[in-house]
Amino acid sequence: MVRMASALSSAAMTIAIVTSDVDWVRADKEDMLLIAALGDIDVASVRIAWDTRVDWSSFTAVVISTTWDYHHRASEFLQWIDLASQATTMWNPPEMIRWNANKRYLIQMSEAGLAVIPTAAAGTVIGVGEAADVWGADDVVIKPVVSASARGTAKFRATDVVGVGDHLAALSEPMIVQPFQPSVETDGETSLVYFDGVYSHAVRKNPKPGDFRTQTHLGGTLAPTQPRSAQLTAAEEAIAFIDQLPLYVRVDLIEGDEGPLLIELELIEPSLFLTVCEGSAERFAAAIATRLPE
């Protein structure tokens, strides 16, 4: 559904902080912190849902922020990406968003030699079993190639033919499979955030007991953390793989047997934990300001 924008003064709409018109997203404070930080450095901005009918050329730029429903409407969202990016500058840029919207990018990065959690297409039960055999994995995680917030993500014994088959059939969409990393249950994930290629802050995300998913809406917890040098190196190697320097990126790492492994490279609409890490909204605002035309 496309929504009509209310009458807003175009003079006040310099930067569009793009969100979703969903109750729980509107209640999140991350965008408002960024808008306030931009205002402190005299950069006007407004929060607006991506599916609002508006003249996107009236904005100096759009920042894809809390579009946290995009994976439910991926085709429509990517069409909007094309439309809005033709009208104004978009961060992150549309080609980067399209690449990152499909989790098969992890296969590409792994094949390039980066420290990435092993990933394979999960087209069939047989394919999942064969991948698990190659990895020597007892348990696997299966997830859709287009997903967020752990939608459709589930763990199975590699030998659970019925469970794997039912999961693939129930979702009926392209999937990937990865070997389950037990460290996520004890060490969680570490998310490192960079603005314009410069490290800003990091959080550690832990699942609730008995789960492996770290999302807070599933009972996970998070807190600021100081990344180790090996994690910083892994994050910067992952960012260097991208053709262009992103305005923002979140690098999600878990611990493998030989060091940190990339589990996600978030370039579209990640939570950047601006409400958790002091000064992060100001650093994000400063990065945006440096990209604005003189």
Tab-separated table of all heavy atoms in Angstrom, residues 97-138:
chain	number	residue	atom	x	y	z
A	97	ILE	N	22.551	-1.864	-1.825
A	97	ILE	CA	21.363	-2.416	-1.188
A	97	ILE	C	20.908	-3.678	-1.909
A	97	ILE	O	20.592	-4.692	-1.275
A	97	ILE	CB	20.243	-1.356	-1.160
A	97	ILE	CG1	20.617	-0.233	-0.183
A	97	ILE	CG2	18.907	-1.983	-0.790
A	97	ILE	CD1	19.696	0.957	-0.232
A	98	ARG	N	20.868	-3.632	-3.224
A	98	ARG	CA	20.437	-4.810	-3.986
A	98	ARG	C	21.363	-5.997	-3.716
A	98	ARG	O	20.902	-7.129	-3.557
A	98	ARG	CB	20.405	-4.493	-5.482
A	98	ARG	CG	19.199	-3.675	-5.904
A	98	ARG	CD	19.055	-3.617	-7.419
A	98	ARG	NE	17.741	-3.129	-7.778
A	98	ARG	CZ	16.644	-3.871	-7.856
A	98	ARG	NH1	16.719	-5.165	-7.580
A	98	ARG	NH2	15.487	-3.349	-8.193
A	99	TRP	N	22.645	-5.760	-3.688
A	99	TRP	CA	23.608	-6.835	-3.435
A	99	TRP	C	23.412	-7.421	-2.042
A	99	TRP	O	23.410	-8.636	-1.857
A	99	TRP	CB	25.023	-6.281	-3.585
A	99	TRP	CG	26.114	-7.254	-3.257
A	99	TRP	CD1	26.547	-8.300	-4.022
A	99	TRP	CD2	26.914	-7.276	-2.063
A	99	TRP	NE1	27.576	-8.962	-3.386
A	99	TRP	CE2	27.823	-8.357	-2.183
A	99	TRP	CE3	26.960	-6.469	-0.917
A	99	TRP	CZ2	28.755	-8.654	-1.192
A	99	TRP	CZ3	27.893	-6.773	0.074
A	99	TRP	CH2	28.776	-7.860	-0.073
A	100	ASN	N	23.196	-6.548	-1.071
A	100	ASN	CA	23.109	-6.978	0.313
A	100	ASN	C	21.749	-7.577	0.667
A	100	ASN	O	21.626	-8.271	1.679
A	100	ASN	CB	23.394	-5.779	1.232
A	100	ASN	CG	23.647	-6.165	2.660
A	100	ASN	OD1	23.003	-5.641	3.571
A	100	ASN	ND2	24.579	-7.069	2.906
A	101	ALA	N	20.748	-7.345	-0.169
A	101	ALA	CA	19.400	-7.840	0.122
A	101	ALA	C	19.295	-9.348	-0.011
A	101	ALA	O	18.326	-9.939	0.476
A	101	ALA	CB	18.380	-7.162	-0.791
A	102	ASN	N	20.248	-9.975	-0.675
A	102	ASN	CA	20.228	-11.425	-0.874
A	102	ASN	C	21.417	-12.025	-0.139
A	102	ASN	O	22.571	-11.721	-0.450
A	102	ASN	CB	20.300	-11.738	-2.373
A	102	ASN	CG	20.078	-13.199	-2.672
A	102	ASN	OD1	20.672	-14.075	-2.042
A	102	ASN	ND2	19.223	-13.488	-3.646
A	103	LYS	N	21.150	-12.900	0.820
A	103	LYS	CA	22.210	-13.418	1.678
A	103	LYS	C	23.207	-14.317	0.946
A	103	LYS	O	24.198	-14.754	1.535
A	103	LYS	CB	21.601	-14.161	2.869
A	103	LYS	CG	20.813	-13.268	3.800
A	103	LYS	CD	20.301	-14.040	5.005
A	103	LYS	CE	19.280	-13.235	5.793
A	103	LYS	NZ	19.818	-11.969	6.332
A	104	ARG	N	22.985	-14.553	-0.331
A	104	ARG	CA	23.993	-15.295	-1.094
A	104	ARG	C	25.296	-14.510	-1.228
A	104	ARG	O	26.302	-15.054	-1.667
A	104	ARG	CB	23.448	-15.661	-2.487
A	104	ARG	CG	22.336	-16.711	-2.457
A	104	ARG	CD	22.081	-17.262	-3.850
A	104	ARG	NE	20.975	-18.207	-3.884
A	104	ARG	CZ	19.749	-17.924	-4.270
A	104	ARG	NH1	19.447	-16.677	-4.661
A	104	ARG	NH2	18.797	-18.836	-4.280
A	105	TYR	N	25.264	-13.229	-0.864
A	105	TYR	CA	26.517	-12.460	-0.864
A	105	TYR	C	27.546	-13.116	0.053
A	105	TYR	O	28.752	-12.979	-0.150
A	105	TYR	CB	26.279	-11.004	-0.464
A	105	TYR	CG	25.948	-10.784	0.993
A	105	TYR	CD1	26.949	-10.715	1.968
A	105	TYR	CD2	24.629	-10.612	1.410
A	105	TYR	CE1	26.648	-10.506	3.305
A	105	TYR	CE2	24.320	-10.410	2.741
A	105	TYR	CZ	25.331	-10.358	3.683
A	105	TYR	OH	25.022	-10.161	5.003
A	106	LEU	N	27.066	-13.850	1.069
A	106	LEU	CA	27.988	-14.530	1.976
A	106	LEU	C	28.775	-15.619	1.250
A	106	LEU	O	29.953	-15.843	1.540
A	106	LEU	CB	27.219	-15.131	3.147
A	106	LEU	CG	26.590	-14.127	4.120
A	106	LEU	CD1	25.593	-14.823	5.038
A	106	LEU	CD2	27.668	-13.414	4.922
A	107	ILE	N	28.119	-16.276	0.292
A	107	ILE	CA	28.818	-17.280	-0.514
A	107	ILE	C	29.903	-16.603	-1.338
A	107	ILE	O	31.039	-17.087	-1.424
A	107	ILE	CB	27.826	-18.030	-1.418
A	107	ILE	CG1	26.751	-18.736	-0.568
A	107	ILE	CG2	28.549	-19.024	-2.312
A	107	ILE	CD1	25.666	-19.405	-1.389
A	108	GLN	N	29.570	-15.486	-1.925
A	108	GLN	CA	30.529	-14.736	-2.736
A	108	GLN	C	31.733	-14.301	-1.903
A	108	GLN	O	32.892	-14.437	-2.335
A	108	GLN	CB	29.840	-13.510	-3.345
A	108	GLN	CG	30.730	-12.652	-4.227
A	108	GLN	CD	30.009	-11.402	-4.710
A	108	GLN	OE1	28.816	-11.205	-4.474
A	108	GLN	NE2	30.750	-10.538	-5.387
A	109	MET	N	31.483	-13.815	-0.709
A	109	MET	CA	32.572	-13.362	0.145
A	109	MET	C	33.430	-14.534	0.609
A	109	MET	O	34.656	-14.431	0.681
A	109	MET	CB	32.016	-12.588	1.341
A	109	MET	CG	31.303	-11.296	0.965
A	109	MET	SD	30.647	-10.382	2.387
A	109	MET	CE	32.161	-9.702	3.080
A	110	SER	N	32.780	-15.649	0.918
A	110	SER	CA	33.527	-16.830	1.330
A	110	SER	C	34.422	-17.333	0.214
A	110	SER	O	35.590	-17.693	0.435
A	110	SER	CB	32.560	-17.931	1.770
A	110	SER	OG	33.260	-19.088	2.159
A	111	GLU	N	33.883	-17.364	-1.001
A	111	GLU	CA	34.670	-17.821	-2.147
A	111	GLU	C	35.847	-16.900	-2.428
A	111	GLU	O	36.855	-17.331	-3.018
A	111	GLU	CB	33.777	-17.934	-3.380
A	111	GLU	CG	32.763	-19.084	-3.283
A	111	GLU	CD	31.805	-19.123	-4.458
A	111	GLU	OE1	31.731	-18.092	-5.197
A	111	GLU	OE2	31.125	-20.142	-4.646
A	112	ALA	N	35.730	-15.644	-1.983
A	112	ALA	CA	36.834	-14.691	-2.160
A	112	ALA	C	37.889	-14.836	-1.069
A	112	ALA	O	38.889	-14.112	-1.084
A	112	ALA	CB	36.290	-13.269	-2.178
A	113	GLY	N	37.670	-15.754	-0.132
A	113	GLY	CA	38.676	-16.035	0.877
A	113	GLY	C	38.504	-15.314	2.192
A	113	GLY	O	39.380	-15.404	3.066
A	114	LEU	N	37.391	-14.616	2.384
A	114	LEU	CA	37.180	-13.932	3.652
A	114	LEU	C	36.722	-14.918	4.725
A	114	LEU	O	36.208	-15.993	4.419
A	114	LEU	CB	36.144	-12.815	3.492
A	114	LEU	CG	36.709	-11.497	2.931
A	114	LEU	CD1	36.847	-11.576	1.424
A	114	LEU	CD2	35.814	-10.322	3.289
A	115	ALA	N	36.905	-14.527	5.977
A	115	ALA	CA	36.510	-15.376	7.100
A	115	ALA	C	35.007	-15.239	7.310
A	115	ALA	O	34.528	-14.415	8.091
A	115	ALA	CB	37.266	-14.974	8.354
A	116	VAL	N	34.265	-16.054	6.598
A	116	VAL	CA	32.801	-16.017	6.607
A	116	VAL	C	32.295	-17.377	7.067
A	116	VAL	O	32.883	-18.412	6.730
A	116	VAL	CB	32.258	-15.703	5.193
A	116	VAL	CG1	30.735	-15.747	5.172
A	116	VAL	CG2	32.768	-14.349	4.716
A	117	ILE	N	31.216	-17.395	7.828
A	117	ILE	CA	30.621	-18.663	8.191
A	117	ILE	C	30.261	-19.412	6.905
A	117	ILE	O	29.704	-18.822	5.973
A	117	ILE	CB	29.375	-18.451	9.083
A	117	ILE	CG1	28.807	-19.788	9.545
A	117	ILE	CG2	28.318	-17.622	8.382
A	117	ILE	CD1	27.727	-19.658	10.598
A	118	PRO	N	30.632	-20.680	6.780
A	118	PRO	CA	30.326	-21.408	5.544
A	118	PRO	C	28.846	-21.317	5.205
A	118	PRO	O	27.982	-21.429	6.081
A	118	PRO	CB	30.741	-22.847	5.881
A	118	PRO	CG	31.789	-22.693	6.927
A	118	PRO	CD	31.359	-21.511	7.758
A	119	THR	N	28.548	-21.089	3.928
A	119	THR	CA	27.176	-20.864	3.482
A	119	THR	C	26.959	-21.576	2.161
A	119	THR	O	27.826	-21.544	1.284
A	119	THR	CB	26.896	-19.358	3.304
A	119	THR	OG1	27.209	-18.674	4.526
A	119	THR	CG2	25.444	-19.101	2.948
A	120	ALA	N	25.810	-22.202	2.020
A	120	ALA	CA	25.460	-22.875	0.765
A	120	ALA	C	23.976	-22.674	0.507
A	120	ALA	O	23.188	-22.423	1.430
A	120	ALA	CB	25.791	-24.367	0.836
A	121	ALA	N	23.599	-22.790	-0.756
A	121	ALA	CA	22.186	-22.747	-1.102
A	121	ALA	C	21.496	-23.979	-0.527
A	121	ALA	O	22.039	-25.078	-0.549
A	121	ALA	CB	22.016	-22.697	-2.613
A	122	ALA	N	20.295	-23.773	0.012
A	122	ALA	CA	19.539	-24.874	0.615
A	122	ALA	C	18.329	-25.185	-0.252
A	122	ALA	O	17.187	-24.990	0.145
A	122	ALA	CB	19.107	-24.504	2.025
A	123	GLY	N	18.601	-25.689	-1.445
A	123	GLY	CA	17.507	-25.941	-2.371
A	123	GLY	C	16.721	-27.195	-2.059
A	123	GLY	O	15.506	-27.253	-2.284
A	124	THR	N	17.387	-28.219	-1.536
A	124	THR	CA	16.732	-29.497	-1.263
A	124	THR	C	17.255	-30.093	0.037
A	124	THR	O	18.309	-29.689	0.542
A	124	THR	CB	17.010	-30.509	-2.394
A	124	THR	OG1	18.414	-30.813	-2.414
A	124	THR	CG2	16.571	-29.961	-3.752
A	125	VAL	N	16.528	-31.058	0.559
A	125	VAL	CA	16.985	-31.763	1.757
A	125	VAL	C	18.325	-32.443	1.497
A	125	VAL	O	19.233	-32.416	2.335
A	125	VAL	CB	15.930	-32.798	2.195
A	125	VAL	CG1	16.462	-33.640	3.357
A	125	VAL	CG2	14.637	-32.114	2.592
A	126	ILE	N	18.457	-33.036	0.322
A	126	ILE	CA	19.711	-33.707	-0.035
A	126	ILE	C	20.858	-32.702	-0.046
A	126	ILE	O	21.952	-32.971	0.461
A	126	ILE	CB	19.577	-34.411	-1.401
A	126	ILE	CG1	18.593	-35.581	-1.289
A	126	ILE	CG2	20.939	-34.898	-1.883
A	126	ILE	CD1	18.292	-36.260	-2.612
A	127	GLY	N	20.595	-31.522	-0.627
A	127	GLY	CA	21.633	-30.495	-0.678
A	127	GLY	C	22.071	-30.050	0.702
A	127	GLY	O	23.264	-29.826	0.947
A	128	VAL	N	21.116	-29.923	1.628
A	128	VAL	CA	21.454	-29.544	3.001
A	128	VAL	C	22.327	-30.613	3.640
A	128	VAL	O	23.333	-30.324	4.281
A	128	VAL	CB	20.166	-29.317	3.825
A	128	VAL	CG1	20.498	-29.179	5.310
A	128	VAL	CG2	19.425	-28.079	3.338
A	129	GLY	N	21.955	-31.878	3.448
A	129	GLY	CA	22.735	-32.974	4.017
A	129	GLY	C	24.132	-33.045	3.445
A	129	GLY	O	25.098	-33.289	4.186
A	130	GLU	N	24.258	-32.825	2.145
A	130	GLU	CA	25.578	-32.867	1.513
A	130	GLU	C	26.465	-31.738	2.032
A	130	GLU	O	27.661	-31.940	2.278
A	130	GLU	CB	25.423	-32.776	-0.005
A	130	GLU	CG	24.826	-34.030	-0.628
A	130	GLU	CD	24.596	-33.881	-2.126
A	130	GLU	OE1	24.608	-32.716	-2.616
A	130	GLU	OE2	24.398	-34.905	-2.803
A	131	ALA	N	25.886	-30.547	2.206
A	131	ALA	CA	26.666	-29.421	2.736
A	131	ALA	C	27.131	-29.724	4.156
A	131	ALA	O	28.280	-29.465	4.519
A	131	ALA	CB	25.831	-28.146	2.704
A	132	ALA	N	26.233	-30.288	4.972
A	132	ALA	CA	26.600	-30.617	6.347
A	132	ALA	C	27.728	-31.646	6.384
A	132	ALA	O	28.633	-31.563	7.225
A	132	ALA	CB	25.382	-31.144	7.098
A	133	ASP	N	27.694	-32.603	5.456
A	133	ASP	CA	28.763	-33.607	5.395
A	133	ASP	C	30.101	-32.956	5.067
A	133	ASP	O	31.139	-33.291	5.658
A	133	ASP	CB	28.428	-34.668	4.342
A	133	ASP	CG	27.328	-35.625	4.796
A	133	ASP	OD1	27.068	-35.685	6.016
A	133	ASP	OD2	26.722	-36.286	3.932
A	134	VAL	N	30.087	-32.035	4.109
A	134	VAL	CA	31.320	-31.333	3.735
A	134	VAL	C	31.885	-30.572	4.927
A	134	VAL	O	33.096	-30.565	5.171
A	134	VAL	CB	31.052	-30.377	2.553
A	134	VAL	CG1	32.256	-29.448	2.331
A	134	VAL	CG2	30.751	-31.158	1.288
A	135	TRP	N	31.003	-29.936	5.699
A	135	TRP	CA	31.444	-29.132	6.833
A	135	TRP	C	31.738	-29.977	8.072
A	135	TRP	O	32.335	-29.481	9.029
A	135	TRP	CB	30.377	-28.100	7.191
A	135	TRP	CG	30.067	-27.128	6.100
A	135	TRP	CD1	30.938	-26.603	5.201
A	135	TRP	CD2	28.791	-26.557	5.801
A	135	TRP	NE1	30.290	-25.733	4.349
A	135	TRP	CE2	28.963	-25.685	4.687
A	135	TRP	CE3	27.512	-26.684	6.338
A	135	TRP	CZ2	27.920	-24.968	4.126
A	135	TRP	CZ3	26.469	-25.959	5.788
A	135	TRP	CH2	26.672	-25.116	4.699
A	136	GLY	N	31.273	-31.222	8.076
A	136	GLY	CA	31.383	-32.035	9.278
A	136	GLY	C	30.507	-31.522	10.393
A	136	GLY	O	30.861	-31.604	11.577
A	137	ALA	N	29.336	-30.977	10.016
A	137	ALA	CA	28.443	-30.338	10.981
A	137	ALA	C	27.329	-31.286	11.408
A	137	ALA	O	26.678	-31.912	10.572
A	137	ALA	CB	27.834	-29.075	10.377
A	138	ASP	N	27.105	-31.363	12.716
A	138	ASP	CA	25.982	-32.141	13.230
A	138	ASP	C	24.673	-31.367	13.142
A	138	ASP	O	23.614	-31.943	12.918
A	138	ASP	CB	26.229	-32.517	14.694
A	138	ASP	CG	27.390	-33.489	14.850
A	138	ASP	OD1	27.586	-34.330	13.952
A	138	ASP	OD2	28.108	-33.385	15.863
